[in-house]
């Protein structure tokens, strides 16, 4: 007969943190007026995909981080504003790099989704992607 384990096993409370993500697509034209190559400076277009990720604990009677349907509507509405347009004509997108597009979507979504932690913008047909990680500095809220 073996002796009972005399060590006490600590009990840890699990606080689950989840990430939810929605994706939207849009097609738009742009140019990079100060681009290093003439090809970048010419008006051209791409198909884009934008992905928004919200992190948090389950909350409310439903037990979710945020309403995925509402996030879907918000993200698609922002993508629709850019769809089949000229990106350079939008404030903040005068040089519409993937980096600036990430910031554009983050600034527009962060107010309604304080748990927003990541925006990714890609051009799937050319295999390019940029990801913005949104984190709060110690003791504060991230500024975009």
């Amino acid at each position: 007969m073996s002796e009972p384990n005399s060590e006490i096993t600590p009990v840890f409370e699990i606080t689950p943190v989840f990430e939810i993500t929605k994706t939207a697509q849009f097609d738009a034209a742009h140019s990079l007026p100060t681009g290093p190559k003439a090809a970048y400076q010419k008006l051209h277009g791409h198909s884009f995909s934008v992905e928004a990720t919200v992190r948090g604990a389950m909350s409310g009677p439903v037990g979710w981080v945020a309403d995925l349907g509402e996030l879907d509507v918000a993200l698609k509405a922002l993508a629709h504003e850019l769809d089949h347009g000229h990106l350079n004509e939008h404030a903040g997108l005068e040089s519409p790099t993937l980096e600036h597009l990430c910031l554009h979507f983050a600034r527009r979504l962060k107010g309604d989704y304080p748990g927003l932690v990541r925006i990714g913008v890609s051009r799937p047909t050319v295999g390019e992607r940029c990801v913005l990680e949104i984190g709060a500095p110690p003791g504060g809220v991230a500024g975009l």
Side-chain angles (χ1 to χ4, degrees):
M1 182 180 208
S2 63
E3 293 184 27
N5 187 348
S6 61
E7 292 181 32
I8 298 175
T9 305
V11 177
F12 296 99
E13 186 65 31
I14 296 175
T15 305
V17 176
F18 299 92
E19 289 186 354
I20 60 169
T21 302
K22 288 303 287 188
T23 304
Q25 284 76 37
F26 62 100
D27 298 298
H30 75 140
S31 63
L32 298 178
T34 58
K37 296 180 182 177
Y40 298 160
Q41 296 173 14
K42 291 181 180 181
L43 185 64
H44 61 283
H46 296 282
S47 292
F48 293 88
S49 181
V50 58
E51 187 175 272
T53 300
V54 177
R55 177 184 294 155
M58 297 182 330
S59 65
V62 176
W64 59 21
V65 173
D67 184 332
L68 277 165
E70 288 181 8
L71 180 58
D72 185 56
V73 168
L75 187 61
K76 284 180 177 174
L78 294 176
H80 180 72
E81 289 177 6
L82 302 177
D83 193 39
H84 286 85
H86 186 191
L87 296 178
N88 300 66
E89 296 174 353
H90 294 270
L93 294 177
E94 294 81 8
S95 180
T97 61
L98 291 175
E99 293 84 352
H100 283 115
L101 282 164
C102 284
L103 287 169
H104 175 81
F105 283 98
R107 288 178 175 134
R108 299 285 303 275
L109 289 170
K110 188 66 174 170
D112 290 330
Y113 296 93
L116 185 71
V117 294
R118 188 175 309 106
I119 293 287
V121 177
S122 63
R123 295 187 286 237
T125 58
V126 291
E128 298 171 341
R129 178 177 170 86
C130 179
V131 176
L132 170 65
E133 295 285 337
I134 304 162
V141 177
L144 296 173

